[in-house]
Amino acid sequence: MLGLPLGLALSFLVSSAIAERRSWQEAFYVAGLPGLILAIAALFIVDPERGGSDPHSPKTTKAGSLPFLTAARRVLGMPTMRWIIASGAVHNFNMYALGTFLASFLKRYHQVGVERAGQVSGLVFGFGALGIFAAGWLADRAFRRGVRGRLYVACIGLGLAIPCLLLALAAPAGQLGLCAVCLLPACMLLYAYYGTVYATIQDITEPSLRGTAMAIYFCAMYLLGAVLGPVGTGWLSDHYTRRAAAADGSTELTELHKAIGLHNAMYMVPILTGVLVVFLFAATWTVQGDYWRLHKRMEAFGGEG
């Protein structure tokens, strides 16, 4: 998962430099060629045997031969998975809203050039790699103390991200440095989600259903979160832009109005992060039951031999 924030950081740094010196269209060519090479390389990845390290894994289940709807019902029958799926949609809404509009926000509201906005955005997202690494390490330690440990780490990390986001948005227009100082820990804490929640899915799902579980989770995460994040934030930005223009008694939407509109729309990210924390905290109440039900089922299958 470290590739996610590091790749985003690199994309901001490279694309902003190209856009500043050439055009934003040419940045797509730079991203396209490596993408094609990686797509070809992915064809040669060997899929490992699932659940090889799980106790009784060879006899856990014949779920691989289950019809998809039956497997999906088994996955969605776990209360923890339902909370995690809802959390994934909300989290991806936030991350795609930030990924799409952060550089534009810095450029408009703090009045910097394209390259400077890309550099700061790249630094902010690159800092997220520390969040994934630290949260994963802390989550493993917390899990040894109890099944709920991973989700507690996620709740604490994401909860601490909220004041950091609010402070970043509270930075006065033109105060890029102050905004960036608050965005760095905010992004690092937002990335605590991945190293904790993804591992929790593996904790409660039997090996032969993990692919299905992740497929359902990612389907909701991207169809609801990744799609609605940019669209919803863009709609809010337009709405607040029109309100700012109306407050000035202007019929023309100026750059100042657009800056105010996007700034106001970005407050949706800390608000929804609060909702995300509630979802994950709810999952802490169900994860222990789902975890032990799985292990009882695995022991029952193991005992058949």
Side-chain angles (χ1 to χ4, degrees), residues 67-82:
F68 172 76
L69 290 179
T70 303
R73 278 196 295 269
R74 188 178 293 183
V75 170
L76 294 174
M78 295 182 286
T80 307
M81 272 304 300
R82 296 196 294 269

Side-chain angles (χ1 to χ4, degrees), residues 31-136:
L33 182 58
L36 289 173
I37 295 172
L38 290 174
I40 295 171
L43 297 174
F44 299 94
I45 297 176
V46 178
D47 195 27
E49 180 182 352
R50 302 301 174 187
S53 61
D54 293 272
H56 314 300
S57 61
K59 299 181 180 180
T60 52
T61 180
K62 299 180 180 63
S65 61
L66 289 175
F68 172 76
L69 290 179
T70 303
R73 278 196 295 269
R74 188 178 293 183
V75 170
L76 294 174
M78 295 182 286
T80 307
M81 272 304 300
R82 296 196 294 269
W83 286 118
I84 286 178
I85 288 168
S87 78
V90 174
H91 184 66
N92 239 23
F93 185 106
N94 285 342
M95 299 310 289
Y96 271 75
L98 285 173
T100 303
F101 289 104
L102 180 59
S104 296
F105 165 69
L106 297 177
K107 179 176 176 292
R108 291 179 184 176
Y109 194 72
H110 293 290
Q111 302 163 10
V112 296
V114 172
E115 186 169 16
R116 184 62 170 168
Q119 290 170 346
V120 174
S121 299
L123 179 63
V124 167
F125 276 96
F127 215 63
L130 294 176
I132 289 181
F133 182 83

Side-chain angles (χ1 to χ4, degrees), residues 108-109 111 237-238 240-263:
R108 291 179 184 176
Y109 194 72
Q111 302 163 10
S237 178
D238 290 344
Y240 285 120
T241 297
R242 290 190 294 269
R243 283 186 56 178
D248 282 347
S250 172
T251 57
E252 181 183 355
L253 303 180
T254 66
E255 287 300 316
L256 176 59
H257 298 144
K258 293 177 182 179
I260 294 172
L262 183 53
H263 175 258

Side-chain angles (χ1 to χ4, degrees), residues 2-13 15 95 99 118 121-122 125-126 191:
L2 288 176
L4 178 61
L6 294 178
L8 284 169
L10 186 61
S11 72
F12 275 113
L13 294 172
S15 62
M95 299 310 289
S121 299
F125 276 96
Y191 271 96

Side-chain angles (χ1 to χ4, degrees), residues 207-270:
S208 56
L209 281 177
R210 287 173 184 166
T212 302
M214 293 304 293
I216 295 171
Y217 169 74
F218 278 126
C219 183
M221 196 179 192
Y222 285 92
L223 279 180
L224 298 177
V227 171
L228 295 180
V231 173
T233 307
W235 181 87
L236 281 174
S237 178
D238 290 344
H239 171 72
Y240 285 120
T241 297
R242 290 190 294 269
R243 283 186 56 178
D248 282 347
S250 172
T251 57
E252 181 183 355
L253 303 180
T254 66
E255 287 300 316
L256 176 59
H257 298 144
K258 293 177 182 179
I260 294 172
L262 183 53
H263 175 258
N264 290 342
M266 294 294 279
Y267 275 98
M268 183 57 65
V269 175

Side-chain angles (χ1 to χ4, degrees), residues 5-28:
L6 294 178
L8 284 169
L10 186 61
S11 72
F12 275 113
L13 294 172
V14 174
S15 62
S16 63
I18 295 172
E20 182 81 18
R21 292 166 173 77
R22 305 284 295 182
S23 68
W24 64 265
Q25 293 95 332
E26 294 190 29
F28 285 95

